[in-house]
Amino acid sequence: VALLGIIKAGGGYVPLDPSAPRERLAFMILDSGAELLITSEALLESLPDTEATVICIDKEAAAISRESSANVSSSASPENLVYVIYTSGSTGTPKGVAVEHRELASRIVSMSRKYRLTPGERLLQFVALSFDAFAEEIFPPLISGATLCIHSNPTQLSADQFVSLCEQMAVTVLHLPAAYWIYLTENARPLREIRLCIVGGESITAGHARDWFELVGGESKLCHVYGPTETTITAITNDVDNGRSTLDQTARIPIGRPLPQTEVFVLDRYAQ
């Protein structure tokens, strides 16, 4: 809710992982120029000292509830920052990647169309807020009228617990990191209600794709996605064959083709 409020007001958010070292968090707050730190009371002890104004949304809930519920009057422009995501950086120093409202808006419209999301569908939110893929999980469903299903920590679930959660929430769309998706292909029981699974972060093999279709059925869709943080989440997608691929089972699935309004360069070892 806080994140949606920030964006609607035309602001930009900087996600902080409270489990990260305090020194890293302090650097990100200072480097980004963040003026507000929005958190909950339970997390205060894990956060560094900062000159930013701290708002605890649970502790200050009563005061917040007295604010106007009228639509926000915003002077936001497409060029305003929508988020700054920190990557590890090639030097080991955290590197802030700044993305504008127009870039995120363009991307989520493209992905909503690509995934053919419709009202009534249900997508399970999986990755942490500190990853850019988080935005691709929450915004395409919301602009499509689909339902966002939220669990406190799905990454810690066993394969059986994960399948049970999907059944309880009537999930139809999954967006998973490749590592966890591979774990499911090797350990899960059938997931027959999944219409679409989006997998990204690493390459996948034809063998794992075959195993996945055995779990979900041949009519389910599998889409491999890839994109650096700097290019606004996903840049390239590939609709994976439904298990009848002639590829060797250890072969890597091709990375795919660029989305609309995205240009891709294929380079040799000399960056030519």
Side-chain angles (χ1 to χ4, degrees), residues 111 114 223-225 234-239 255-259:
M111 301 319 295
K114 169 67 181 175
C223 183
H224 184 267
V225 298
T234 290
I236 300 174
T237 67
N238 182 30
D239 294 325
I255 197 168
R257 295 182 179 276
L259 283 166

Side-chain angles (χ1 to χ4, degrees), residues 7 13 33 35 63 72 127 133 149 190 221 227:
I7 294 176
Y13 67 90
E35 299 176 7
V72 174
V127 303
C149 301
K221 303 295 183 184

Side-chain angles (χ1 to χ4, degrees), residues 33-82:
E35 299 176 7
L36 295 174
L37 180 58
I38 302 176
T39 186
S40 60
E41 196 170 15
L43 296 175
L44 283 177
E45 291 185 0
S46 63
L47 297 173
D49 294 332
T50 175
E51 295 183 4
T53 300
V54 178
I55 299 175
C56 289
I57 54 175
D58 48 355
K59 184 178 180 181
E60 301 176 48
I64 293 171
S65 69
R66 291 193 291 270
E67 294 289 336
S68 171
S69 60
N71 198 21
V72 174
S73 177
S74 174
S75 59
S77 73
E79 293 78 20
N80 285 128
L81 286 183
V82 66

Side-chain angles (χ1 to χ4, degrees), residues 182-204:
I182 291 171
Y183 165 72
L184 290 178
T185 67
E186 296 173 346
N187 297 279
R189 53 188 170 84
L191 267 163
R192 293 302 188 191
E193 301 304 316
I194 302 301
R195 177 188 69 82
L196 169 67
C197 182
I198 305 142
V199 181
E202 300 172 51
S203 62
I204 60 176

Side-chain angles (χ1 to χ4, degrees), residues 22 33 40 63 73 78 85 87 105 234 237-238 253 258 266 268:
R22 286 193 179 195
S40 60
S73 177
I85 299 281
T87 64
T234 290
T237 67
N238 182 30
I253 295 293
V266 181
D268 64 16

